Amino acid sequence: MPLTELNAISPIDGRYRSKAEPLAPFFSEQALIRYRLRVEVEYFIALCEMPLRQLQYFPKDKFEVLRNMYRSFSTADAERIKEIEAITNHDVKAVEYFLKEKFAAEDLSSCSEFIHFGLTSQDVNNTAIPMMLKEALENVLIPVLQNELLAKLKELAEEWKNIPMLARTHGQPASPTRLGKEIAVFAERLSEQLSLLQTLPHCCKMGGATGNFNAHTVAYPETDWPAFAEKFAREKLGLRRQPTTTQIEHYDNMAAIFDNLKRLNVILMDFSQDMWLYVSQDYFKQQIKETEVGSSAMPHKVNPIDFENAEGNLGLANSLLEFLARKLPVSRLQRDLTDSTVTRNIGVPLSHGLIAWKSLLKGLGKLTVHHEKINADLEANWAVVAEAIQTILRREGYDKPYEALKSLTRTGDKITKERIHEFIDTLKVDETIKQELLQITPFNYTGS
């Protein structure tokens, strides 16, 4: 049965496939096989370029032929490798045998034993997987965060920068703020974590069966294999090689990347909840399509579903990112196989994150500011200027100004503009100070 939205087990490949689709070239099974093939091909070319004595006459015009094996990698190629794997019961060995078939077709079989020369499967996996992650971040995830979501937040922060709004601390009315500034808070947080994310190195392992170049050294003891591997990782794959490892890369820096992505998602979860609350307070109206239904039972409902969808997917993403960051750096002695099945799931939390980010963008695109409601809340909460009044009275050396305002505002009676002005009139201060105090309103007491 072909995979469709209706029979997919995961909503990533079902309901949300269109949103997660950009990550398929990086985290699908076919993608993993292609990245492994890329490592094997580039490694063979690097051995030729050293050159190893037996490869010094390998025709250089065949290098691009070899590279096209992964550049033009097809579903049929992936299926052939899966057929080989069904026999070998080893996924990386299947890639090696596939490549040898390709060498035979190009009349290069005499050199084919240098495919995978001296390597263990983790030299391939622990270079392929960091490349997948690196290129997915560079080509899909960071552009969505930076060029779409962060750009949208900055745009809204600028558009709404002069809109005064009642703030709420502990859920209670507090000193007024500006709507644009509250959006700018999240833009700044997001920007800082994105900058940090881009400083984290993408690391790989290449050192043979237990990280010591045993096989390489016994065959070619005169070669500086660590220097070769470091150059290969840096120049051919764009990765940083960890010099001291067991059979596997220790994943510490990959865990740091997952932790950083988790923090980005936490910021966006905080943002999702705040936007949901602003919608619930009627500070925003949501643009709707005539044909859409908000509730199956209540015709009037327009629910903030995009922010709710984002929050749910961010939570799913972070639970898995937390697991990846905690589990991957732990491996028994020189290696166990638990990382193998776990790393196959790296695309899952990243997909849930991408789904969430796109939902946030969709939700933000529906919002229009409900100025009347925002202004009504400010007008109904004149008590918030008490902080301003008592601060100016402190400046003027007035006796116990905080206590005076506390007595005024905690009576349980509604504090209106009139009551505030009556209180100011009773103050024993210079008339110019009274005029200064009378100019303060919930609409202009918004700071700098």
Side-chain angles (χ1 to χ4, degrees):
M1 187 193 315
L3 181 66
T4 69
E5 175 182 333
L6 295 176
N7 61 34
I9 294 173
S10 166
I12 291 172
D13 288 312
R15 183 180 184 88
Y16 301 127
R17 178 68 185 193
S18 62
K19 290 183 177 181
E21 186 77 39
L23 290 176
F26 303 96
F27 296 113
S28 65
E29 180 73 3
Q30 182 169 321
L32 175 57
I33 296 170
R34 187 184 71 250
Y35 273 98
R36 286 169 170 159
L37 183 63
R38 178 175 162 187
V39 172
E40 295 279 16
V41 166
E42 291 296 345
Y43 176 72
F44 178 86
I45 292 172
L47 292 177
C48 293
E49 291 174 339
M50 289 179 62
L52 287 185
R53 184 173 65 256
Q54 289 82 357
L55 296 175
Q56 60 184 318
Y57 299 115
F58 185 88
K60 290 183 172 49
D61 61 350
K62 290 290 187 179
F63 287 173
E64 290 308 301
V65 173
L66 298 183
R67 288 189 169 109
N68 283 334
M69 293 178 187
Y70 67 79
R71 288 172 178 163
S72 302
F73 192 69
S74 67
T75 300
D77 291 331
E79 288 171 345
R80 174 57 189 149
I81 290 173
K82 295 303 287 186
E83 288 172 1
I84 298 170
E85 183 186 341
I87 299 168
T88 63
N89 196 32
H90 197 289
D91 46 12
V92 176
K93 200 68 177 177
V95 173
E96 177 189 342
Y97 287 166
F98 170 83
L99 196 47
K100 286 181 175 179
E101 289 181 353
K102 291 290 188 180
F103 269 49
E106 295 290 336
D107 198 25
L108 299 172
S109 292
S110 61
C111 301
S112 64
E113 285 308 317
F114 284 90
I115 299 168
H116 201 73
F117 176 79
L119 301 183
T120 185
S121 59
Q122 280 308 104
D123 293 313
V124 178
N125 288 329
N126 281 158
T127 47
I129 291 167
M131 267 201 298
M132 292 163 60
L133 177 59
K134 178 177 183 284
E135 294 181 0
L137 284 166
E138 291 174 347
N139 292 287
V140 179
L141 299 169
I142 290 175
V144 170
L145 283 170
Q146 190 119 35
N147 304 335
E148 298 183 46
L149 194 47
L150 179 57
K152 183 64 175 179
L153 293 182
K154 289 180 176 179
E155 174 194 320
L156 294 177
E158 178 64 23
E159 180 182 341
W160 298 337
K161 67 180 180 181
N162 294 321
I163 299 175
M165 181 182 77
L166 184 68
R168 293 183 184 273
T169 58
H170 308 279
Q172 306 305 306
S175 299
T177 185
R178 283 161 283 115
L179 178 56
K181 175 259 173 177
E182 297 308 316
I183 303 300
V185 167
F186 290 100
E188 183 175 291
R189 293 172 67 189
L190 202 62
S191 181
E192 288 184 0
Q193 291 304 315
L194 268 169
S195 295
L196 179 58
L197 175 62
Q198 292 172 84
T199 68
L200 297 172
H202 292 270
C203 298
C204 70
K205 174 263 177 182
M206 179 159 286
T210 55
N212 308 309
F213 292 105
N214 304 52
H216 296 79
T217 302
V218 77
Y220 296 95
E222 71 282 359
T223 299
D224 186 346
W225 287 107
F228 163 81
E230 284 159 19
K231 182 180 179 183
F232 169 66
R234 182 178 65 255
E235 295 183 3
K236 298 290 188 182
L237 308 180
L239 302 172
R240 191 180 86 183
R241 175 182 172 266
Q242 293 291 8
T244 311
T245 69
T246 60
Q247 188 178 95
I248 66 173
E249 203 272 318
H250 46 61
Y251 295 112
D252 294 338
N253 287 309
M254 189 179 287
I257 291 168
F258 296 146
D259 282 333
N260 182 274
L261 288 167
K262 191 175 68 176
R263 281 196 302 278
L264 282 161
N265 286 340
V266 166
I267 292 166
L268 292 173
M269 189 179 297
D270 191 16
F271 177 71
S272 300
Q273 292 178 355
D274 275 11
M275 297 309 291
W276 187 95
L277 287 166
Y278 289 138
V279 171
S280 75
Q281 291 167 355
D282 210 19
Y283 282 10
F284 292 108
K285 294 293 186 183
Q286 297 179 95
Q287 299 168 8
I288 57 171
K289 293 180 180 178
E290 183 63 31
T291 56
E292 290 184 355
V293 174
S295 166
S296 63
M298 295 172 280
H300 68 286
K301 293 288 291 295
V302 183
N303 298 325
I305 56 173
D306 299 301
F307 298 108
E308 293 169 339
N309 178 283
E311 184 179 342
N313 276 286
L314 289 167
L316 270 171
N318 276 11
S319 65
L320 291 169
L321 289 169
E322 165 68 25
F323 170 71
L324 289 170
R326 187 177 69 249
K327 185 273 158 292
L328 285 175
V330 179
S331 183
R332 295 174 185 84
L333 301 180
Q334 283 66 56
R335 110 127 310 176
D336 65 47
L337 197 66
T338 53
D339 66 311
S340 177
T341 190
V342 170
T343 53
R344 288 178 182 273
N345 287 279
I346 288 173
V348 176
L350 301 186
S351 294
H352 281 294
L354 183 60
I355 291 163
W357 305 342
K358 290 185 175 182
S359 292
L360 280 175
L361 283 163
K362 185 178 180 183
L364 289 171
K366 293 180 181 179
L367 298 181
T368 57
V369 179
H370 190 188
H371 293 275
E372 294 82 0
K373 174 59 176 173
I374 290 176
N375 291 339
D377 266 7
L378 287 167
E379 187 62 43
N381 285 279
W382 270 79
V384 296
V385 304
E387 179 193 41
I389 295 169
Q390 64 99 7
T391 302
I392 290 175
L393 293 179
R394 283 175 184 269
R395 182 193 73 192
E396 297 302 315
Y398 194 88
D399 185 45
K400 296 184 178 179
Y402 178 89
E403 287 72 18
L405 271 299
K406 179 180 176 184
S407 297
L408 169 69
T409 57
R410 289 200 178 184
T411 61
D413 298 329
K414 183 173 178 59
I415 304 299
T416 62
K417 173 182 178 180
E418 291 71 27
R419 287 198 65 194
I420 290 289
H421 284 191
E422 287 170 5
F423 171 79
I424 293 171
D425 283 340
T426 67
L427 295 172
K428 294 181 173 57
V429 295
D430 189 85
E431 188 62 29
T432 58
I433 303 302
K434 287 186 178 182
Q435 289 304 313
E436 182 182 359
L437 295 174
L438 289 169
Q439 297 306 310
I440 302 169
T441 74
F443 299 88
N444 64 21
Y445 181 49
T446 56
S448 58

